[in-house]
Amino acid sequence: MQSPPSLGTENQSPFQVDSRREIISLLRGLKDSNQLISMLIHDGAEVFITSILHVDDNNSTVIVDCAPGQLANQRIIEAHRVSFEGLLDKIGIQFSTTGVHRAEFENRPALQFSIPSNLIRLQRREYYRINTPVSTPIKVSFSVEVNDSIEVLKLSLVDISCGGIAVLDERKILDCTPGKIYEHCKLDLPTIGLIDVALQIRNSQDLVLLNGKTNRRIGCQFFNLSNSVLTSVQRYIMKLERERNSKMTGIR
């Protein structure tokens, strides 16, 4: 049985869909509209673009397009959890599975998994979360106390929504006690500029990377965000969406 995805920085339980009929309808909606969706493993460390090829109600299976390359597909199959994110009529859809297998669809390689027992439908646009570019990491600066002195800790952004962000703390320096608030964090958004935000720790998770090294993913919620800063965050999310959609459709 699948658990709800745990990728976000917000509490998503109010948006969980448990009705099998509705889940199948949403999955078929993604298929029928030819929506490209993100397939994530290792908590978003690797992201592949795929699409739903078939939803089989009788056999309770979903078939998606495989990733490019045998090694990539093997990593997906071996992953403890595979998560999926997409947009249907500008509404965020997220679900996950604990078991992906090789399959064939219309005489070509594909991947198959069971219809999820639940999924997340983010009905409000402001909750939509998007991964930030891996090639040009965005940095967030925290002022932390290290060895009796204040150090500016610059962490890489993983994703962003209008509710918060997720960051990676490779050195595991940041105090990630849930509820702790960091004031005057500096978030440097390309084309937007440097913005000052307060961040409240919501959750953390230690990750084991493909090279055997470990990293720490920390989910943070914006705290007392002003309307002007919220507008800046919204503008940046829209910019990322446009860029990602252009890449998916081949438009330059």
Side-chain angles (χ1 to χ4, degrees):
M1 179 178 292
Q2 291 81 15
S3 299
S6 58
L7 295 174
T9 53
E10 304 90 6
N11 176 15
Q12 299 174 326
S13 57
F15 308 99
Q16 182 168 305
V17 177
D18 297 299
S19 164
R20 178 181 173 86
R21 178 179 296 180
E22 192 170 357
I23 290 169
I24 291 174
S25 176
L26 290 169
L27 294 175
R28 285 179 173 161
L30 289 169
K31 169 191 170 294
D32 294 341
S33 58
N34 297 314
Q35 290 295 317
L36 295 173
I37 60 177
S38 298
M39 178 166 52
L40 306 92
I41 60 174
H42 305 297
D43 292 282
E46 286 192 89
V47 182
F48 307 93
I49 302 303
T50 187
S51 60
I52 295 177
L53 303 176
H54 184 59
V55 180
D56 190 335
D57 189 5
N58 293 328
N59 294 312
S60 193
T61 57
V62 181
I63 297 177
V64 299
D65 205 1
C66 60
Q70 292 185 357
L71 291 178
N73 286 298
Q74 189 61 34
R75 291 199 298 275
I76 293 168
I77 291 167
E78 293 175 352
H80 172 66
R81 180 176 298 279
V82 182
S83 299
F84 298 85
E85 299 180 357
L87 282 176
L88 181 61
D89 298 326
K90 295 187 177 182
I91 294 175
I93 304 294
Q94 301 176 2
F95 57 93
S96 65
T97 180
T98 55
V100 173
H101 310 282
R102 294 186 189 276
E104 276 197 4
F105 183 75
E106 296 182 346
N107 298 317
R108 60 188 176 112
L111 297 172
Q112 176 179 297
F113 53 90
S114 299
I115 291 175
S117 58
N118 52 61
L119 56 73
I120 299 295
R121 179 180 56 195
L122 302 177
Q123 299 182 36
R124 294 191 296 169
R125 182 180 177 84
E126 60 265 34
Y127 279 90
Y128 177 63
R129 179 178 46 82
I130 190 167
N131 292 326
T132 51
V134 177
S135 56
T136 53
I138 297 168
K139 298 295 183 179
V140 187
S141 298
F142 294 78
S143 294
V144 297
E145 186 173 334
V146 180
N147 298 326
D148 297 325
S149 62
I150 300 299
E151 177 178 331
V152 176
L153 184 63
K154 293 186 177 182
L155 303 182
S156 295
L157 201 69
V158 178
D159 61 51
I160 185 169
S161 77
C162 290
I165 61 175
V167 297
L168 290 176
D169 182 10
E170 185 177 356
R171 295 165 59 193
K172 301 179 182 176
I173 291 178
L174 200 68
D175 180 356
C176 52
T177 303
K180 182 174 178 60
I181 297 173
Y182 288 90
E183 301 281 358
H184 302 299
C185 299
K186 308 299 181 184
L187 179 58
D188 194 2
L189 298 179
T191 73
I192 302 297
L194 199 66
I195 60 176
D196 188 295
V197 295
L199 294 169
Q200 184 177 48
I201 303 298
R202 304 299 297 172
N203 54 66
S204 65
Q205 183 179 18
D206 288 345
L207 311 174
V208 178
L209 307 181
L210 297 176
N211 57 11
K213 294 183 179 180
T214 60
N215 210 331
R216 177 169 291 165
R217 180 190 178 99
I218 303 173
C220 306
Q221 181 177 346
F222 290 128
F223 188 76
N224 290 336
L225 201 65
S226 68
N227 289 334
S228 61
V229 174
L230 176 59
T231 299
S232 296
V233 173
Q234 287 175 326
R235 282 169 50 207
Y236 179 65
I237 291 173
M238 292 174 64
K239 173 181 177 294
L240 282 183
E241 274 192 273
R242 287 194 300 269
E243 291 176 352
R244 188 168 75 170
N245 291 338
S246 295
K247 289 180 181 178
M248 287 180 176
T249 57
I251 299 174
R252 293 292 182 267

